[in-house]
Amino acid sequence: PYQVFYTVGSNNYTTTCPYSNDLGLGASITCYVNYTVTASDASTGTININAYATSASPSVTSNSASYSVAVTICDVRHSTISTSGDPGRVYMTIYNYGNFTIRVSSITIYWNTQGSNRITTIYLGGLLIWSGNYSSSPASFSITNNNSIAPGASPLLEFHFGKKYFTNGSERIVVQFMEPACPILDSSNSSQLP
């Protein structure tokens, strides 16, 4: 039988490969060990792995191999929604506590449509990401430019209206990201507050 010894971070693992035949010149087998990513791995952003293999008969030890694997953690949060009447704005802060840049792919807003008001612009971190005239609720927008949020950043997501905005408590913002590891950010989900 073949054994593979792994060192991941400061943890040591041994696995026996399910293969008992002789290996010919240039042949290979694949062995696995399960490892759970730790908070320390997430904060450093990498897992360093060292491995070597041994066989019992004949007694042979392989050369050591080392490599690193990137750990990407998407931890995105939001503030509570705020509004201002004149000029009309609905806004919240998005917090990227993860260790990589995330990109907004779409935004849906539920808002008070009384008074024939219209969304005229949307900003993320002070950069224009949409402009036009939209008067229905909910309103959904695909975002393709100025949509990046760097690790550690906390940009303000702002919706500007054509008239004074009157809040009625129906306001809700849902943000989706291009990265599949990121959850949908929903302002009505209090577990996503910082």
Side-chain angles (χ1 to χ4, degrees):
Y2 300 91
Q3 286 191 311
V4 178
F5 301 90
Y6 295 90
T7 301
V8 182
S10 61
N11 301 309
N12 295 314
Y13 301 90
T14 302
T15 186
T16 300
C17 300
Y19 189 84
S20 59
N21 297 334
D22 290 339
L23 287 176
L25 185 62
S28 65
I29 58 174
T30 303
C31 301
Y32 298 95
V33 65
N34 291 325
Y35 176 75
T36 302
V37 176
T38 66
S40 174
D41 299 330
S43 67
T44 61
T46 59
I47 299 173
N48 295 314
I49 301 169
N50 298 304
Y52 67 92
T54 63
S55 66
S57 179
S59 179
V60 176
T61 299
S62 74
N63 293 331
S64 228
S66 298
Y67 56 97
S68 295
V69 177
V71 178
T72 54
I73 303 296
C74 187
D75 183 5
V76 62
R77 308 289 176 137
H78 63 79
S79 67
T80 56
I81 290 181
S82 298
T83 62
S84 66
D86 199 9
R89 287 190 324 145
V90 173
Y91 54 96
M92 74 177 189
T93 302
I94 297 174
Y95 302 93
N96 181 3
Y97 293 132
N99 62 358
F100 64 97
T101 297
I102 56 177
R103 295 162 296 151
V104 174
S105 62
S106 67
I107 302 169
T108 301
I109 181 172
Y110 300 79
W111 56 287
N112 179 7
T113 58
Q114 293 175 355
S116 301
N117 213 342
R118 295 176 176 275
I119 298 172
T120 58
T121 54
I122 305 172
Y123 291 88
L124 180 64
L127 299 174
L128 181 68
I129 59 174
W130 182 88
S131 67
N133 279 297
Y134 204 93
S135 60
S136 300
S137 180
S140 293
F141 305 91
S142 291
I143 307 301
T144 58
N145 63 334
N146 297 326
N147 60 347
S148 296
I149 304 173
S154 52
L156 192 64
L157 176 62
E158 303 175 76
F159 296 83
H160 290 228
F161 293 84
K163 299 180 187 178
K164 184 174 183 176
Y165 184 80
F166 296 97
T167 185
N168 68 355
S170 67
E171 294 80 16
R172 178 180 168 209
I173 300 171
V174 178
V175 180
Q176 291 187 308
F177 300 94
M178 291 182 182
E179 294 70 26
C182 292
I184 295 172
L185 199 62
D186 188 337
S187 65
S188 68
N189 183 348
S190 61
S191 72
Q192 294 178 328
L193 292 170

